[in-house]
Amino acid sequence: MGQGRRRAALHERIPGGRDGRRMLWIALINKTGTGLWMGVAALYFALVAGLPVSEVGILMGISGAAGIAGAPRAGRLADRHLLTHVLIAAQLLQAIALLALLTTHDFALLLLYSAVGSLADRGANVLTKLYAARISGTERIRYQAIQRTVSNAGWAIGGLAAAGALTIGTTHAYRVLLIGNALSYVVMTVLTLRCAEPPSPSQVVTASGVAEAKDSTPTVIASNPWRDRTYLLFTATETLLFLDDAVLQVGMPLWIVHATDAPHGLAPLLLVLNCLLVVFCQVSLARLAPTPHRARALLVPLAACFMTGCLAMSTSAGGGAPLAIAALVFATIVLTFAEMLHTIASWELSITLAADDAQGAYLGVHGLASAAQRSGGPLLVTAVIAVGAPAWPLLGALVIATCAAQRRVVRDRLPRAALSVHPITVSEH
């Protein structure tokens, strides 16, 4: 009995109830599958498909850019249709696009299939965020922190499994990793089918499972994020604040190789450190922002952490392996804290600033920031590396200015009340 009560108490601590727990399993499976594939995708195109390095770069760059359109499109679809149905379609599309890669070595077809997969991936990210926001209510910050912790654990599991498979180094091993990622989307689809449709501020769900506008007329999007100057400015600043991703995943390994005396094997270890910090600290840090105003206040320590990390990156090129290792470890720690603080602030502010009757459309526009950073972030970071150590503090100063601009942009739109969550109903008809 005691063990049963403890298990029940643990379940109660997960916002969103049974569906909240299912979505956490989906997040774990999703990132485990992604961890299997993303680290070897470029190698697959080069070694298995036989593409030259230049074509691999073009393929991954263009497909990543194509994904930018997925976020706003998925958001608008979620405002007009059942969210779970749109999410399932995105998951199945990702599985189909991945399996299609096995059917050809033609550059044009590989580019097409990769672009379709990227489009569905960015759309699914927005839909998952929207689902989490709707089921977790006033505890959305805490739920998002838990979800991100689970996601990072999945990344680590998938990455370690991929590393093990790569020791085999055969064409078959690469194909197995790709198929493993595709199967993860099939499993996610099965779990999503068991999730209830979350309540929406703009529509009700009838007993037959049909989404209708709350006034019983066809769903019409009253608010348009593309005409919301404040939200567009907020999204523009977000593009730069997502740079921690490019710095840690692209800039750090390249900087180690080209500018420091640190051993090259340090690069994957720093990524593991990043994942572990998120796993152990993200949920605790979420308590720092129980309200939108507190989320806005996190932009100050975020800027401080990012600048400190940039200064440490610059210091690491000062000479000698011990100094480089110490500076890079310290940079990884403070940049990871900047990443976690931004995640909390971004999550709360993006939802608080969104109009209730078009949450999906607004979050879709916000998703453009992350998608754009995936395309432009590596270019900016590699430019910093090309300039050398003096460029890192300049990048830090750019982020400080961006944080200051965002604080000003969102100030007048934050609610006076302690929480920004509005009541949501579900029709019983």
Side-chain angles (χ1 to χ4, degrees):
M1 290 295 293
Q3 184 178 1
R5 283 195 296 269
R6 285 194 296 272
R7 186 180 295 112
L10 176 61
H11 287 174
E12 289 174 0
R13 290 197 292 271
I14 302 295
R18 183 181 292 108
D19 290 326
R21 294 192 294 276
R22 284 196 182 116
M23 290 305 294
L24 291 179
W25 278 109
I26 289 171
L28 179 66
I29 294 167
N30 180 21
K31 296 308 179 184
T32 299
T34 302
L36 286 174
W37 171 243
M38 287 305 296
V40 302
L43 296 177
Y44 175 88
F45 293 127
L47 302 179
V48 179
L51 299 181
V53 174
S54 59
E55 289 189 354
V56 173
I58 293 172
L59 184 151
M60 300 192 74
I62 294 178
S63 62
I68 294 175
R73 183 58 183 165
R76 290 191 66 82
L77 286 173
D79 283 329
R80 299 175 181 273
H81 304 281
L82 292 177
L83 173 56
T84 49
H85 289 184
V86 183
L87 180 56
I88 287 169
Q91 291 164 344
L92 289 176
L93 187 58
Q94 288 176 91
I96 293 170
L98 277 168
L99 293 175
L101 295 176
L102 296 171
T103 66
T104 183
H105 290 169
D106 180 74
F107 172 77
L109 289 176
L110 290 172
L111 175 59
L112 173 63
Y113 299 148
S114 297
V116 170
S118 178
L119 192 76
D121 174 67
R122 302 317 302 166
N125 284 347
V126 168
L127 297 171
T128 302
K129 179 179 179 180
L130 183 58
Y131 191 100
R134 289 179 176 176
I135 63 172
S136 55
T138 59
E139 293 189 275
R140 62 188 179 217
I141 287 291
R142 181 168 171 269
Y143 182 81
Q144 190 271 347
I146 296 172
Q147 188 178 60
R148 191 159 186 271
T149 298
V150 170
S151 295
N152 273 267
W155 269 108
I157 294 170
L160 289 173
L166 286 180
T167 59
I168 301 174
T170 64
T171 297
H172 179 69
Y174 286 102
R175 292 195 175 113
V176 167
L177 292 174
L178 188 156
I179 293 171
N181 190 22
L183 290 177
S184 73
Y185 290 114
V186 176
V187 175
M188 289 159 55
T189 298
V190 173
L191 289 175
T192 306
L193 283 168
R194 300 182 62 191
C195 292
E197 179 67 17
S200 167
S202 60
Q203 60 188 21
V204 294
V205 180
T206 65
S208 60
V210 177
E212 296 180 352
K214 285 189 174 178
D215 59 2
S216 298
T217 60
T219 304
V220 177
I221 306 302
S223 300
N224 186 345
W226 296 106
R227 297 178 180 175
D228 188 331
R229 182 173 177 273
T230 297
Y231 204 85
L232 291 177
L233 288 173
F234 165 70
T235 299
T237 59
E238 284 284 89
T239 302
L240 284 171
L241 296 188
F242 275 112
L243 273 176
D244 52 73
D245 183 64
V247 172
L248 288 166
Q249 295 191 24
V250 179
M252 186 73 74
L254 292 177
W255 185 251
I256 288 174
V257 171
H258 293 290
T260 78
D261 293 325
H264 296 179
L266 181 64
L269 295 179
L270 293 179
L271 290 178
V272 172
L273 175 60
N274 169 258
C275 286
L276 290 176
L277 286 171
V278 173
V279 168
F280 288 108
C281 300
Q282 185 74 76
V283 175
S284 298
L285 287 175
R287 300 189 183 99
L288 298 176
T291 68
H293 292 280
R294 293 285 293 276
R296 175 177 175 265
L298 291 182
L299 293 171
V300 174
L302 187 168
C305 285
F306 197 96
M307 174 56 95
T308 303
C310 286
L311 292 173
M313 292 287 285
S314 182
T315 302
S316 66
L323 173 63
I325 293 172
L328 290 168
V329 169
F330 180 70
T332 299
I333 293 173
V334 291
L335 287 171
T336 301
F337 272 91
E339 174 191 358
M340 291 187 287
L341 291 172
H342 176 242
T343 297
I344 298 166
S346 175
W347 171 258
E348 178 65 16
L349 293 176
S350 64
I351 296 172
T352 300
L353 299 175
D356 285 346
D357 61 349
Q359 272 190 345
Y362 270 76
L363 291 183
V365 169
H366 181 259
L368 290 173
S370 175
Q373 187 280 142
R374 284 174 177 251
S375 295
L379 296 176
L380 178 58
V381 169
T382 51
V384 168
I385 293 172
V387 173
W392 285 110
L394 295 178
L395 182 64
L398 177 62
V399 169
I400 290 176
T402 303
C403 287
Q406 186 175 111
R407 279 173 56 84
R408 184 177 181 83
V409 165
V410 306
R411 180 185 58 193
D412 296 333
R413 279 277 292 273
L414 297 186
R416 295 180 181 273
L419 289 171
S420 59
V421 179
H422 302 276
I424 298 173
T425 60
V426 179
S427 172
E428 296 179 355
H429 297 137

